[in-house]
């Protein structure tokens, strides 16, 4: 045996791939990674499993030209395998037809998703460059992960939606200066396995340990105890899901009436506190938002709320808010309110204290304030101005021409006739998959690039097989990660798979703009060009090795960014006149005149408590008495590598595990390992029960990402055999401001499943004909 060892970079870390005679033998963690993710080694089993898409395939009904009214539903049809030449002809001809008959805006290229690590082979960048050069496309705006945050923060603290990452304390500052961290939505270490774009070394776990060793105390305000690592010895305050804003309001009221709030900072560096204070004490609506009021809503005791208010204002404190709390009804409010609470507490703009969001959501947030810019595939201006908020894809397909509000604008939903999806999985990300199923039947054509026969591929008309991360040359540059990692091809593409770039090159050739798309470079020449462009732009300060040396050595280190960083809260505190924030007032907008002017009934001019549509105090809880937490999985990234060894090892009798409190389980006769049916009026799925008091009573936790496996594909409402929570979640916007998803506002019930268990077919290809 002659083994080759090659570097591999993924969203969940860097590894060494061991290859023998072109066969992937195993994937090993990088020697210098202190906390390697187990997802990487599990990639081996999926590399050439039976779910791989091996040849171009076309849905039989679409290929036969059946009228949509009489066609077999997408998701239920057989596929016919065709040659690459025929597939390229079909796609290029259909793009021409749709553009000529319906206009460029009828082509949807939002294609939201993480795709794979690598600066050149970013699927979304490749797709959107291709579509923009061809005339344009309708795009999507924001992300499923943080849509509410991305829209509200520029109003409150100004700047780019993601600029807060460099404006909040890093873990080393927290360890050196902070005394108390209060984490709303927790601080789940499992999420820090990943980093968009790639990752050299996992650092978050060690940095959190340093904070604990330095004496920093942590409070976990979450329905799930394990949302904070056990070694932090965190105090757990179980909170009724979707009530974080009420908890913060109760804390704020306690600060106010006791005179504990930072009047100087609020006066000099903020605007609108007086109007917000009137709301707190009930002058505007007759409701005093005191600790007793908050306790009744949240389930946190009045004493605990009062104690938190005292501790936050007498210690150097940091208020953290996780992304999960804003994926809910009125998700903008806990983000806005967390900033206001930090401004009141007295540590805003002081070393190691104040406010931050998304800590531990990826191994970048809180680790480093950023990295120098790395060259990427050149963008092409999109000639089509139309876009949709990312989570409104089903609305656009079902209701073209309808107008919706979005961040002070009125948008008209375009008529989408061709959906081109590349590098994502809408049947994972989107809520209410049965509604999406109905919407997905409406366009003329759905084209998908996929490596595996997942749900999105099965719901397509034309499926083009693509190479995986292991099957192409690239280099990785993760978000805020100060390393570049070489990604030489580990193995040849499986079957007839091609890279996204090769596919778009062939299509651009048919459509007459190959030269503009490729710029006469091969793929490896592109990788070299982007690296050398980065090296040239950074100059002597970076001292990056030549591309050939980098390719041999596998890694290169970028210089650290030292600032100053725009929008600094420290600078604001020191002199708000010299260092204003990029907001209309120059300060933190506790009251926003701009948002107030929009006149939205579901998002006022200051943070408020809005009762969720679905929560444990709703009337609907009489029928569905459990609140569903559909958080990110520990065993994969979203739905990526659900067919990988690590994700498969987490299943219970082939189903996704659902965690339920023993008290709720006992009343339903549920035991560890039994198969249960999780259901509400939107749908139902099977899952394997895990009993744990890590989830509070009244809450169940079912991670996202299990490949959707409907018993009757294409039929809305059918049972999911595998455990995808998005058959249960509501396709309802957070508010008119952000139009973000509200996945964590969902009530369900759980019962024993006593019928014969259906086989899980999530990883089984559809019927394929030659």
């Amino acid at each position: 045996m002659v083994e080759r060892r090659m570097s591999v970079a993924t969203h969940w870390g860097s590894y060494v791939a061991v290859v023998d005679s072109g066969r992937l033998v195993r994937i090993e963690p990088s020697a210098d990674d202190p906390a390697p993710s187990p997802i990487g080694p599990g990639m081996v089993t999926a590399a050439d499993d039976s779910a791989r898409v091996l040849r171009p395939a076309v849905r039989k009904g679409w290929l036969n030209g059946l009228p949509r009214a009489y066609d077999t539903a997408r998701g239920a049809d057989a596929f016919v395998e065709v040659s690459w030449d025929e597939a390229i002809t079909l796609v290029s001809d259909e793009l021409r037809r749709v553009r000529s008959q319906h206009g460029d805006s009828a082509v949807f290229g939002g294609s939201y998703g993480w795709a794979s690590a690598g600066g050149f082979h970013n699927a979304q960048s490749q797709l959107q460059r291709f579509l923009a050069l061809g005339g344009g496309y309708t795009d999507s705006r924001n992300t499923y992960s943080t849509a509410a945050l991305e829209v509200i923060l520029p109003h409150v603290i100004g700047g780019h939606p993601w600029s807060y990452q460099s404006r909040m304390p890093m873990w080393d500052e927290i360890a050196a200066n902070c005394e108390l961290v209060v984490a709303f939505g927790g601080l789940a270490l499992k999420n820090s396995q990943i980093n968009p774009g790639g990752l050299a070394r996992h650092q978050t776990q060690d940095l959190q340990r340093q904070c604990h060793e330095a004496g920093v105390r942590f409070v976990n305000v979450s329905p799930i105890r394990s949302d904070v690592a056990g070694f932090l010895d965190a105090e757990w305050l179980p909170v009724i899901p979707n009530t974080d804003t009420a908890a913060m309001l109760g804390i704020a009221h306690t600060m106010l009436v006791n005179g504990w709030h930072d009047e100087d900072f609020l006066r000099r560096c903020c605007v609108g506190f007086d109007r917000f204070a009137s709301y707190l004490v009930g002058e505007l609506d007759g409701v005093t938002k005191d600790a007793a009021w908050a306790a009744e809503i949240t389930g946190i005791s009045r004493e605990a709320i009062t104690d938190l208010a005292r501790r936050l204002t007498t210690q150097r404190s940091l208020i953290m808010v996780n992304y999960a709390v804003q994926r809910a009804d009125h998700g903008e409010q806990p983000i806005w309110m967390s900033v206001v609470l930090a401004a009141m507490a007295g540590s805003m703009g002081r070393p190691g204290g104040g406010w931050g969001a998304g800590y531990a959501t990826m191994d970048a947030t809180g680790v480093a304030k950023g990295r120098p810019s790395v060259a990427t595939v050149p963008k092409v201006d999109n000639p089509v101005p139309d876009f949709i908020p990312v989570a409104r894809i089903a609305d656009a397909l079902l209701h073209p021409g309808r107008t919706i509000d979005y961040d002070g604008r009125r948008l008209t939903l375009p008529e989408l006739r061709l959906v081109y999806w590349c590098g994502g999985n809408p049947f994972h990300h989107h809520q209410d998959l049965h509604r999406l199923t109905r919407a997905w039947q409406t366009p003329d054509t759905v084209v998908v690039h996929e490596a595996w026969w997942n749900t999105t591929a099965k719901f397509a008309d034309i499926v083009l097989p693509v190479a995986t991360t292991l099957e192409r040359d690239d280099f990785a540059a993760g978000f805020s990660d100060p390393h570049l990692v070489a990604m030489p091809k580990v193995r040849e593409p499986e079957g007839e798979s091609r890279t996204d770039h090769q596919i778009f090159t062939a299509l651009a050739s048919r459509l007459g703009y190959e030269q503009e798309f490729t710029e006469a470079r091969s793929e490896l020449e592109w990788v070299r060009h982007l690296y050398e462009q980065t090296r040239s732009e950074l100059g002597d300060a970076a001292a990056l090795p030549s591309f050939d040396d980098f390719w041999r050595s596998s890694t290169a280190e970028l210089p650290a960014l030292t600032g100053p960083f725009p929008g600094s809260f420290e600078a604001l505190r020191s002199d708000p006149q010299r260092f204003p924030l990029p907001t209309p007032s120059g300060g933190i907008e506790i009251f926003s005149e701009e948002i107030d002017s929009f006149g939205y009934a579901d998002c006022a001019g200051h943070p408020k408590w809005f009762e969720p549509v679905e929560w444990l105090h709703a009337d609907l809880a009489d029928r569905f008495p459990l609140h569903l937490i559909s958080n990110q999985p520990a065993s994969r990234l979203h739905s990526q590598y659900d067919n990988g060894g690590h994700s498969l090892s987490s299943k219970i009798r082939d189903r996704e595990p659902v965690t339920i409190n023993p008290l709720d389980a006992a009343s339903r006769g549920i035991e560890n390992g039994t198969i249960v049916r999780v259901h509400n009026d939107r749908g139902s799925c099977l899952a394997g029960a895990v009993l744990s008091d890590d989830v509070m009573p009244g809450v169940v936790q079912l991670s996202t990402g299990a490949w959707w496996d409907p018993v009757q594909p294409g039929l809305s409402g059918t049972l999911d055999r595998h455990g995808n929570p998005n058959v249960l979640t509501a396709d309802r916007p957070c508010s008119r401001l952000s139009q973000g998803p509200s996945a964590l506002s969902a009530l369900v019930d759980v019962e024993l499943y006593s019928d014969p268990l259906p086989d899980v077919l999530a990883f089984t290809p559809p019927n394929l004909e030659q």
Side-chain angles (χ1 to χ4, degrees):
M1 178 184 288
V2 179
E3 293 184 342
R4 288 189 306 140
R5 300 172 65 84
M6 307 177 71
S7 69
V8 172
T10 71
H11 292 310
W12 39 90
S14 294
Y15 302 87
V16 175
V18 181
V19 181
D20 177 53
S21 302
R23 185 177 66 90
L24 180 63
V25 177
R26 63 186 179 275
I27 291 178
E28 301 174 349
S30 176
D32 64 346
D33 192 340
S37 167
I39 298 174
M43 296 168 67
V44 177
T45 59
D48 54 4
D49 70 5
S50 60
R52 280 299 296 260
V53 182
L54 299 176
R55 285 169 288 280
V58 184
R59 191 171 62 81
K60 189 172 182 180
W62 188 93
L63 187 63
N64 292 338
L66 294 178
R68 292 296 298 127
Y70 306 103
D71 192 1
T72 303
R74 287 190 178 103
D77 207 350
F79 282 78
V80 179
E81 293 185 325
V82 300
S83 69
W84 267 109
D85 185 68
E86 184 174 359
I88 294 299
T89 298
L90 290 172
V91 175
S92 57
D93 286 352
E94 185 63 359
L95 278 166
R96 282 195 191 97
R97 183 194 68 82
V98 169
R99 290 186 189 280
S100 64
Q101 293 183 8
H102 304 286
D104 296 314
S105 64
V107 177
F108 181 68
S111 190
Y112 171 83
W114 280 63
S116 62
F120 176 65
H121 288 292
N122 179 285
Q124 191 179 54
S125 298
Q126 293 282 344
L127 169 67
Q128 295 183 350
R129 177 178 169 84
F130 165 75
L131 291 178
L133 286 168
Y137 60 96
T138 292
D139 198 359
S140 63
R141 180 93 35 109
N142 304 130
T143 68
Y144 280 92
S145 295
T146 56
L149 176 149
E150 291 173 61
V151 175
I152 192 67
L153 279 184
H155 289 287
V156 178
I157 62 173
H160 186 274
W162 290 93
S163 66
Y164 71 90
Q165 296 265 349
S166 63
R167 301 159 68 180
M168 62 193 206
M170 300 294 104
W171 285 114
D172 56 352
E173 299 173 69
I174 297 167
N177 300 284
C178 192
E179 298 172 274
L180 174 68
V181 169
V182 179
F184 289 91
L187 194 60
L189 198 58
K190 65 179 173 60
N191 297 334
S192 69
Q193 294 180 91
I194 55 93
N195 183 338
L199 178 63
R201 297 175 64 252
H202 292 86
Q203 301 181 68
T204 298
Q205 179 173 298
D206 284 352
L207 290 167
Q208 286 190 8
R209 288 187 184 277
Q210 291 173 22
C211 291
H212 180 256
E213 292 166 1
V216 181
R217 302 298 300 168
F218 288 80
V219 178
N220 174 27
V221 185
S222 168
I224 302 176
R225 187 202 325 261
S226 54
D227 269 349
V228 168
F231 62 74
L232 291 179
D233 298 325
E235 176 186 348
W236 183 32
L237 295 180
V239 61
I240 290 174
N242 290 190
T243 66
D244 302 86
T245 302
M248 295 181 207
L249 287 168
I251 296 169
H253 180 275
T254 305
M255 291 178 179
L256 177 67
V257 297
N258 286 286
W260 297 341
H261 57 298
D262 188 345
E263 291 187 76
D264 174 70
F265 184 81
L266 292 168
R267 175 180 52 79
R268 292 189 306 111
C269 304
C270 305
V271 295
F273 179 71
D274 289 347
R275 298 179 71 167
F276 173 71
S278 296
Y279 168 74
L280 277 181
V281 299
E283 292 178 2
L284 303 182
D285 58 6
V287 177
T288 303
K289 317 306 181 300
D290 59 14
W293 168 87
E296 186 173 347
I297 292 172
T298 65
I300 302 173
S301 72
R302 179 177 60 183
E303 292 75 18
I305 291 170
T306 301
D307 183 57
L308 264 188
R310 177 187 56 79
R311 292 160 66 190
L312 281 167
T313 53
T314 57
Q315 301 177 56
R316 179 65 56 84
S317 60
L318 175 63
I319 293 171
M320 295 180 172
V321 59
N322 212 343
Y323 296 161
V325 301
Q326 52 91 64
R327 291 194 293 268
D329 286 337
H330 314 291
E332 301 87 358
Q333 302 308 311
I335 300 298
W336 195 351
M337 186 59 219
S338 66
V339 176
V340 174
L341 190 61
M344 294 179 65
S347 295
M348 196 73 158
R350 301 188 192 279
W355 173 89
Y359 286 95
T361 301
M362 49 189 172
D363 199 283
T365 308
V367 174
K369 288 185 178 289
R371 60 159 170 76
S373 179
V374 174
T376 59
V377 177
K379 281 186 171 291
V380 176
D381 289 339
N382 183 6
V384 173
D386 295 339
F387 70 90
I388 61 171
V390 67
R392 302 275 65 82
I393 177 63
D395 288 345
L397 292 171
L398 289 169
H399 305 294
R402 176 177 290 183
T403 58
I404 63 170
D405 289 296
Y406 172 76
D407 198 15
R409 303 173 58 174
R410 293 287 289 170
L411 303 179
T412 299
L413 298 176
E415 183 178 24
L416 304 176
R417 306 300 289 260
L418 188 151
V419 173
Y420 207 131
W421 212 280
C422 177
N425 183 358
F427 286 89
H428 151 68
H429 289 293
H430 201 70
Q431 284 65 60
D432 194 348
L433 292 181
H434 295 300
R435 184 172 188 257
L436 183 63
T437 295
R438 297 191 295 273
W440 212 250
Q441 308 303 321
T442 60
D444 297 345
T445 304
V446 177
V447 182
V448 166
H449 293 196
E450 251 305 334
W452 290 278
W453 282 108
N454 62 14
T455 316
T456 298
K458 292 174 182 177
F459 272 77
D461 296 313
I462 302 174
V463 181
L464 304 179
V466 290
T468 69
T469 301
L470 304 174
E471 299 166 346
R472 56 201 187 194
D473 293 316
D474 210 335
F475 73 95
F479 181 81
S480 289
D481 191 87
H483 300 89
L484 303 180
V485 183
M487 300 172 62
K489 183 193 302 183
V490 169
R491 48 169 283 171
E492 290 302 314
E494 190 75 5
E496 297 180 17
S497 301
R498 298 181 179 180
T499 67
D500 296 307
H501 183 77
Q502 288 173 328
I503 296 170
F504 290 130
T505 296
L507 288 168
S509 177
R510 292 289 181 91
L511 295 168
Y513 54 91
E514 178 183 359
Q515 177 68 27
E516 293 87 344
F517 179 73
T518 67
E519 298 186 9
R521 294 189 183 96
S522 69
E523 291 186 347
L524 189 55
E525 286 171 344
W526 264 112
V527 175
R528 179 186 292 271
H529 168 72
L530 295 177
Y531 177 87
E532 292 291 3
Q533 181 181 340
T534 301
R535 183 170 174 245
S536 173
E537 290 175 351
L538 293 180
D540 294 339
L544 293 178
S546 69
F547 177 78
D548 291 332
D549 289 342
F550 164 68
W551 205 243
R552 282 191 294 268
S553 63
S554 301
T555 61
E557 189 162 353
L558 298 168
L561 292 181
T562 57
F565 297 97
S568 162
F569 299 123
E570 289 86 348
L572 177 72
R573 174 177 281 277
S574 69
D575 192 334
Q577 301 304 314
R578 288 183 59 201
F579 305 110
L581 299 184
T583 60
S585 66
I588 295 172
E589 303 248 328
I590 296 174
F591 185 93
S592 168
E593 297 283 357
E594 186 172 36
I595 292 178
D596 188 59
S597 71
F598 298 159
Y600 297 156
D602 54 5
C603 189
H606 59 76
K608 289 181 62 174
W609 163 250
F610 294 91
E611 184 173 321
V613 176
E614 294 185 40
W615 67 309
L616 289 176
H617 291 326
D619 292 341
L620 187 64
D622 292 338
R623 293 177 53 219
F624 300 110
L626 300 173
H627 196 114
L628 174 67
I629 301 295
S630 53
N631 57 1
Q632 292 303 317
S635 60
R636 57 187 172 267
L637 168 58
H638 297 306
S639 65
Q640 289 188 38
Y641 284 95
D642 189 31
N643 59 333
H646 186 53
S647 185
L648 291 176
S649 70
S650 72
K651 309 285 184 181
I652 297 175
R653 298 173 69 182
D654 300 328
R655 331 278 157 170
E656 191 69 14
V658 59
T659 306
I660 182 170
N661 186 278
L663 295 175
D664 295 319
S667 66
R668 293 163 171 80
I670 295 170
E671 298 179 351
N672 258 320
T674 57
I675 300 301
V676 297
R677 175 177 171 263
V678 190
H679 65 98
N680 59 20
D681 286 337
R682 285 181 288 271
S684 61
C685 66
L686 302 182
V690 176
L691 275 57
S692 173
D693 60 7
D694 271 359
V695 298
M696 63 184 285
V699 169
V700 293
Q701 178 267 320
L702 178 62
S703 293
T704 62
W707 290 4
W708 186 34
D709 189 21
V711 169
Q712 294 179 275
L715 178 65
S716 181
T718 188
L719 174 71
D720 169 42
R721 293 172 280 219
H722 193 203
N724 188 313
N726 278 330
V727 300
L728 305 161
T729 54
D731 188 8
R732 181 176 59 235
C734 289
S735 79
R736 292 160 66 189
L737 183 78
S738 72
Q739 294 288 340
S742 56
L744 294 183
S745 295
L747 294 176
V748 301
D749 203 356
V750 179
E751 63 185 12
L752 280 170
Y753 187 76
S754 55
D755 292 342
L757 273 181
D759 291 335
V760 171
L761 302 178
F763 311 118
T764 302
N767 292 329
L768 296 171
E769 302 177 7
Q770 299 297 323

